[in-house]
Amino acid sequence: IGTYAATTTATTTTTTTNWDSAAAQKRINDIGYVLIKKNNLPSGISLVVSSESEINAYSNINKQVYVYKGLLENVSSDEELAAVIAHEIGHIINGHCAKQTVLNAALSTVANSVSTKNSTAKTLGENLAVAKLSRTDEYEADLTGVDLLQKAGYNPLAMISVLSKICGNYLDVLQSHPSGEKRLLNVYNYIDYNYNSVLKKGYNTDSYQKAIAIITPSVMKRNSSAKNIAKYEK
């Protein structure tokens, strides 16, 4: 099935010679345990560390969360790593992996019944369907991840910090992931509405400050219009 990556922009990172996979596995297990235990999630979710140098993480239909070495080497703290893991758990508990499997099977059936001369239109239609579904899932997984972080005792602003660091700001017409700015604003608005006291305290990382610099113009534009404010509040 399609995977749900935390990033689609950066692909590799510098390989270190002292990679300790056992320590890395323990690290993600400890964080995963806190997220699962504090949120009273059912058993069955497992975490797996991968030695791949890609800056990536994904979840699958078997309730497994894979965290790549490259990502581990690019998060600044356990809170940022918890944000990535919470996002992927969000995909699992929202049923995104299973939903994507059903869509892929349906598209495959349609593909086998469409003539070759319509292959270009068919492919475009498939790409749009998958992209739209995946973008919606990414937004939902981000927000579910925020709730999981808050309840587990992690600072939910870590979600903004890590997304700012590893999420690309690209046009999302045919992308499976929404643009970085849209995701950042979506998370910011959600935290502002649900955990405003946390937002007021801020978060002390460079990547968070960069995110705020990106978000601020959109927030100011919204706040300058009563109509936009009403829409946002609704």
Side-chain angles (χ1 to χ4, degrees):
I1 72 172
T3 59
Y4 298 87
T7 179
T8 58
T9 53
T11 54
T12 58
T13 186
T14 304
T15 301
T16 57
T17 57
N18 58 343
W19 168 245
D20 187 339
S21 60
Q25 184 66 57
K26 183 179 185 305
R27 184 184 181 193
I28 66 171
N29 283 347
D30 289 347
I31 292 172
Y33 176 80
V34 173
L35 287 168
I36 293 169
K37 187 75 173 178
K38 294 291 186 179
N39 285 282
N40 297 315
L41 299 178
S43 61
I45 298 174
S46 61
L47 289 90
V48 183
V49 67
S50 169
S51 61
E52 299 285 339
S53 61
E54 213 176 328
I55 304 175
N56 198 18
Y58 72 90
S59 53
N60 62 29
I61 198 171
N62 296 317
K63 297 183 180 180
Q64 296 171 312
V65 174
Y66 279 80
V67 181
Y68 285 26
K69 171 187 173 184
L71 189 141
L72 287 166
E73 293 178 333
N74 278 272
V75 292
S76 302
S77 64
D78 281 356
E79 280 195 324
E80 286 190 352
L81 181 55
V84 173
I85 294 172
H87 169 92
E88 297 304 334
I89 291 176
H91 281 306
I92 293 172
I93 64 179
N94 285 313
H96 296 158
C97 302
K99 183 168 62 175
Q100 191 69 58
T101 301
V102 172
L103 176 63
N104 289 344
L107 290 174
S108 178
T109 301
V110 171
N112 292 332
S113 64
V114 175
S115 63
T116 305
K117 67 178 181 179
N118 294 322
S119 60
T120 300
K122 174 204 67 176
T123 301
L124 179 61
E126 290 174 357
N127 289 340
L128 285 169
V130 172
K132 183 177 180 180
L133 178 60
S134 296
R135 287 197 300 271
T136 300
D137 290 349
E138 291 303 315
Y139 285 132
E140 188 173 31
D142 286 342
L143 303 190
T144 298
V146 165
D147 289 336
L148 295 177
L149 289 171
Q150 175 71 13
K151 194 168 183 179
Y154 292 109
N155 193 324
L157 296 180
M159 183 69 76
I160 293 177
S161 183
V162 76
L163 286 178
S164 172
K165 184 179 297 182
I166 63 177
C167 183
N169 187 24
Y170 42 76
L171 294 174
D172 65 349
V173 176
L174 283 176
Q175 295 284 353
S176 63
H177 289 54
S179 70
E181 182 176 353
K182 289 182 179 179
R183 286 181 72 178
L184 290 172
L185 185 59
N186 187 52
V187 174
Y188 177 92
N189 286 340
Y190 187 76
I191 295 176
D192 184 26
Y193 185 81
N194 292 281
Y195 310 113
N196 183 259
S197 61
V198 173
L199 188 67
K200 287 181 177 179
K201 294 178 181 178
Y203 198 69
N204 190 29
T205 63
D206 289 341
S207 56
Y208 179 79
Q209 297 306 321
K210 289 178 181 178
I212 295 303
I214 293 172
I215 293 167
T216 297
S218 295
V219 174
M220 292 179 65
K221 182 179 179 180
R222 179 186 70 212
N223 291 344
S224 66
S225 164
K227 181 179 180 180
N228 288 340
I229 292 174
K231 182 179 179 181
Y232 164 68
E233 289 176 346
K234 181 179 179 181

